[in-house]
Amino acid sequence: MKNQRLEAIKDIITHTKVGSQDEILMHLNERGFTLTQATLSRDLKQMKIAKVPNDQGGYIYTLPFVSSRDTYILKENKSTSVTEITIEFSGSLAVLKTKPGYAGGIASDIDSGAPEEIIGTIAGDDTILLIPKEGVTRSRIIETLSIIIPNIKIV
Amino acid sequence: MKNQRLEAIKDIITHTKVGSQDEILMHLNERGFTLTQATLSRDLKQMKIAKVPNDQGGYIYTLPFVSSRDTYILKENKSTSVTEITIEFSGSLAVLKTKPGYAGGIASDIDSGAPEEIIGTIAGDDTILLIPKEGVTRSRIIETLSIIIPNIKIV
DNA sequence: ACCATGAAAGTATAAATATGCAACATATAT
DNA sequence: ATATATGTTGCATATTTATACTTTCATGGT
């Protein structure tokens, strides 16, 4: 019930330009959800959705940090294996495969979570190219990534 | 005058955890700026600073989109080097880190500017993987890139 | 079955934020 | 020099958003 609403909110946020909670509320009503602004405010807080100034001189609600979105999905959706993530090495590089659309978010989690081990990442839609620092072993990388991605699978 | 204030705001935002405009206002007062909440609200809007929910169950003001910040810096601060770009080598590859969103643009600058030295580039959002031609030395690459990116920093 | 516990949501309101308007300053043009 | 435009700010207030408090509902334990 609530989860469906959260999904709807995310959908509204990402597909339409909304500048106030009342606007979001109206969209939710159209979709058959009845709730008050108070509840919406709490939902937005939980999903870390924020109202940010935009270029057109107004404000717009957005999911500002990908990592936040991931946290949210992971939290709400424990049962399904959102994070079937695999890693495979090739030479000095590693390639991670994720669910479609998740590469960017996870890559930035890695970027911020393993700065000692990696030089950088490049993310497509479902693939992450991971460039380790020179001298960092594969096992060290796996060790560190396991903290960021607990159920990572080595291919 | 106003610019100094904007700088101070940015500094406060990035270095301390503030959760309301009144808090920011107090910090500004300590630094000798006198202004009202109304003005601060306008400043924040201009700089696209937003209040976003954080992990600790509260809210925090941040510069949510780096691109916005860059726009702002470009506007306010033309002279300074917006593009802090670093390069690091790993094996036969090089990885450049740029400000988020700039990788594509810079990569194509490199593509067109150093065809003798590189095979190609792959750009993510803030990372460029640079594949040099066989036999090209690291110093040669740096030499060439320095022409394209004058203030590139070697890690 | 009964109670405790906790999540979820509404109500009312506090708190926080945005903005219309007027005043003033500074620049630009006539 | 005067007029016109442009930008910045405070004041007051409207609007918007967050939350304390309460009720309800579901769940698990005894």
Side-chain angles (χ1 to χ4, degrees), chain B residues 85-106:
Chain B
I85 298 173
T86 65
I87 183 166
E88 182 167 357
F89 288 90
S90 175
S92 62
L93 302 173
V95 175
L96 288 86
K97 296 288 282 185
T98 73
K99 297 246 168 173
Y102 282 90
I106 291 161

Side-chain angles (χ1 to χ4, degrees), chain A residues 77-153:
Chain A
N77 223 343
K78 302 179 196 76
S79 55
T80 68
S81 66
V82 177
T83 43
E84 161 83 351
I85 298 173
T86 64
I87 183 166
E88 183 168 355
F89 289 89
S90 173
S92 62
L93 301 173
V95 174
L96 287 86
K97 296 289 281 186
T98 72
K99 295 240 166 172
Y102 282 91
I106 291 160
S108 70
D109 287 348
I110 295 170
D111 276 331
S112 54
E116 301 296 319
E117 287 78 15
I118 60 156
I119 300 178
T121 59
I122 297 174
D125 183 56
D126 64 359
T127 303
I128 300 164
L129 177 63
L130 188 148
I131 303 106
K133 293 207 177 186
E134 275 192 334
V136 174
T137 62
R138 292 184 180 188
S139 57
R140 166 105 184 267
I141 287 165
I142 288 169
E143 211 173 285
T144 308
L145 288 185
S146 296
I147 298 164
I148 302 163
I149 310 156
N151 47 353
I152 193 165
K153 203 177 137 200

Side-chain angles (χ1 to χ4, degrees), chain A residues 21 37-38 41 45 61:
Chain A
Q21 296 186 2
Q37 175 268 324
S41 173
K45 184 176 185 176
Y61 276 82

